[in-house]
Amino acid sequence: MRNFINFSLAGSLMTMIFLGIVNYTTSPQTMWFIYPCLLLLLWPITLFFMSNKMYKQYSIVCSAMIIAFLIVENYLYAPNHLWFIYAIYPIIWWPILMYLGEKAKTLKTALIGCASTIIYYAFLNIMLSPQYPWAIYPAFLIMWWPLALYHAQRKTFVAFSVTASLLISSFFIIVNVVSSPTVIWAIYPIFVTLWWPLSMYFYVYKRKMYQATFTKRM
């Protein structure tokens, strides 16, 4: 494995130098070679950490590399708009969940992660772009984490379909109100969503009826 790591390191460095020379000689006004270089660096790094089973350390190194890349990209092309702060938050959660281990699967962790995500993006929304409440979109996505985990642990799939449908319906209503209050379009996706708990209910009801009939015949 050591030979493979050395080979990947040498190959990555050679390719990066080659791409850097091509970038400088053909289009020095645009630093495009940094994009493939990030992937090339991941090759030997992944081999090294995976071969040594250092999965937690791997998550830290890769997260740091991606964050550094985003910061450089932000500084080069949009220094007046710090967009990287929107992207780094979910990346940071990768090593956090890795170090939590089995605790990452608990409902407590899901609730903390959900609440902190909503607070983080709501703060950015209020401070940087208060003219539109875009934080509702990541809030809607992250709320599926504790919701799905809660019902999966208890195997309450019908209740999950009802709760999830309420969440989806509430989301579309809020988006409708804040985006286009003069056009009531939320009823269309809500109508489609209602078929989920309805079909789940009849599936469970029909299965119970089948089991009851089968038991009587036995």
Side-chain angles (χ1 to χ4, degrees):
M1 178 58 68
R2 185 177 181 84
N3 291 331
F4 285 109
I5 296 173
N6 292 334
F7 172 76
S8 65
L9 182 60
S12 297
L13 291 176
M14 288 175 58
T15 308
M16 289 167 62
I17 293 172
F18 171 76
L19 292 175
I21 294 173
V22 173
N23 189 174
Y24 179 76
T25 55
T26 59
S27 54
Q29 67 279 4
T30 305
M31 292 181 59
W32 54 260
F33 83 100
I34 60 175
Y35 302 106
C37 284
L38 176 65
L39 298 176
L40 288 168
L41 282 174
L42 288 175
W43 181 19
I45 290 174
T46 301
L47 285 177
F48 173 77
F49 283 102
M50 293 298 104
S51 63
N52 292 285
K53 297 182 179 181
M54 302 167 63
Y55 307 118
K56 296 178 180 178
Q57 295 84 345
Y58 176 71
S59 65
I60 293 178
V61 172
C62 287
S63 298
M65 285 179 56
I66 296 171
I67 291 172
F69 173 79
L70 293 176
I71 293 174
V72 171
E73 182 75 5
N74 193 167
Y75 175 76
L76 290 175
Y77 298 106
N80 296 325
H81 177 57
L82 301 178
W83 55 260
F84 77 91
I85 59 178
Y86 301 98
I88 63 173
Y89 180 81
I91 299 172
I92 293 173
W93 269 94
W94 179 17
I96 292 175
L97 293 175
M98 289 294 294
Y99 273 89
L100 284 175
E102 290 297 319
K103 292 182 179 179
K105 303 176 183 178
T106 61
L107 182 61
K108 181 180 179 181
T109 301
L111 290 171
I112 293 173
C114 178
S116 61
T117 302
I118 293 174
I119 293 171
Y120 179 80
Y121 284 109
F123 176 77
L124 292 181
N125 193 171
I126 295 171
M127 296 301 296
L128 301 179
S129 52
Q131 62 273 13
Y132 182 79
W134 55 261
I136 58 178
Y137 299 103
F140 170 71
L141 294 176
I142 198 63
M143 288 176 69
W144 285 92
W145 181 12
L147 180 65
L149 185 61
Y150 174 82
H151 288 287
Q153 290 177 344
R154 289 158 180 77
K155 297 182 179 180
T156 51
F157 304 113
V158 177
F160 173 65
S161 66
V162 174
T163 311
S165 297
L166 290 174
L167 175 61
I168 295 171
S169 301
S170 302
F171 170 73
F172 280 118
I173 291 172
I174 294 172
V175 174
N176 193 166
V177 171
V178 301
S179 300
S180 52
T182 58
V183 180
I184 305 176
W185 54 262
I187 57 175
Y188 303 110
I190 290 174
F191 174 76
V192 176
T193 304
L194 292 177
W195 282 94
W196 181 10
L198 186 63
S199 60
M200 288 292 295
Y201 171 77
F202 279 104
Y203 169 75
V204 173
Y205 175 76
K206 187 175 182 180
R207 186 178 64 178
K208 288 182 178 179
M209 290 290 294
Y210 175 78
Q211 290 176 347
T213 305
F214 182 76
T215 303
K216 289 181 180 179
R217 291 179 178 177
M218 293 297 290

